Amino acid sequence: MRVLVLGGIRSGKSQWAESVAQQLAGADAPVRYVATGPAPDGDASWATRVEAHRVRRPAHWQTVETTELAATLTGAPPVATLVDDIGGWLTATMDRRDAWNVDSASEAVGKDIAALVDAVDAFPAPLVMVSPEVGLTVVPATAAGRRFADELGTVNQRLAAVCERVVLVVAGQPVTVKEPT
């Protein structure tokens, strides 16, 4: 079962995804928590958010902090996995590819998105991914911000296509968008 959990900022999507990951794994079974990067230096507010996520995780969960998401999923043993979040991964990918100021960010990050979608599609264990939903955030005022929103919309659509379940979390409440057929 692959589940994509979408939502706006502070919607409760991460907390809801954590409960689903534990359900899919089994009551006391391990879960691999893939965080798409550590808190940046000098950003106390963001560091507080990251710490809140860390504190919520059960002690028996394994945490992996990485932006190499496709490689991590491809090389990982088959254990229930939670990825939080795709927006952080995309930001790091756009940084690595210097895609913020190009005419086509899609050309710059397209292969990375394809590799991620392939890794998700082939993942052999329960997988829950958290991603911000583009339409529920501030409309970017800059060209770089619009490039990010466009690419996040693309990656969310492509991931939704290979996931059996897609859920939108609004005010902490899950709304099913796609169920297994």
Side-chain angles (χ1 to χ4, degrees):
M1 171 69 72
R2 291 175 297 267
V3 181
L4 178 60
V5 181
L6 303 167
I9 295 169
R10 297 288 202 186
S11 63
K13 63 188 175 294
S14 293
Q15 195 165 2
W16 190 84
E18 291 162 7
S19 68
V20 169
Q22 191 64 76
Q23 287 174 345
L24 291 173
D28 294 320
V31 172
R32 180 185 311 105
Y33 187 107
V34 180
T36 57
D41 293 335
D43 189 339
S45 174
W46 191 253
T48 299
R49 287 180 185 219
V50 169
E51 185 59 24
H53 282 239
R54 286 180 178 147
V55 168
R56 267 198 324 254
R57 289 180 217 146
H60 65 280
W61 285 22
Q62 173 199 14
T63 300
V64 176
E65 292 183 349
T66 184
T67 58
E68 299 296 331
L69 198 44
T72 298
L73 293 176
T74 302
V79 63
T81 299
L82 170 64
V83 175
D84 197 355
D85 86 2
I86 299 301
W89 169 82
L90 181 59
T91 299
T93 301
M94 289 181 72
D95 284 348
R96 186 173 62 249
R97 299 290 184 213
D98 196 26
W100 297 103
N101 297 306
V102 297
D103 289 335
S104 176
S106 295
E107 289 178 23
V109 298
K111 289 180 183 176
D112 297 284
I113 292 172
L116 174 60
V117 171
D118 288 346
V120 167
D121 193 32
F123 196 71
L127 177 61
V128 180
M129 295 170 292
V130 176
S131 187
E133 177 51 37
V134 174
L136 299 178
T137 59
V138 176
V139 175
T142 65
R146 288 187 296 277
R147 282 183 189 97
F148 175 80
D150 289 347
E151 293 310 314
L152 185 60
T154 296
V155 75
N156 283 349
Q157 289 180 50
R158 293 194 55 196
L159 289 172
V162 298
C163 287
E164 289 85 11
R165 187 171 186 207
V166 178
V167 174
L168 174 66
V169 178
V170 180
Q173 304 303 305
V175 179
T176 300
V177 175
K178 177 182 176 183
E179 281 287 357
T181 54

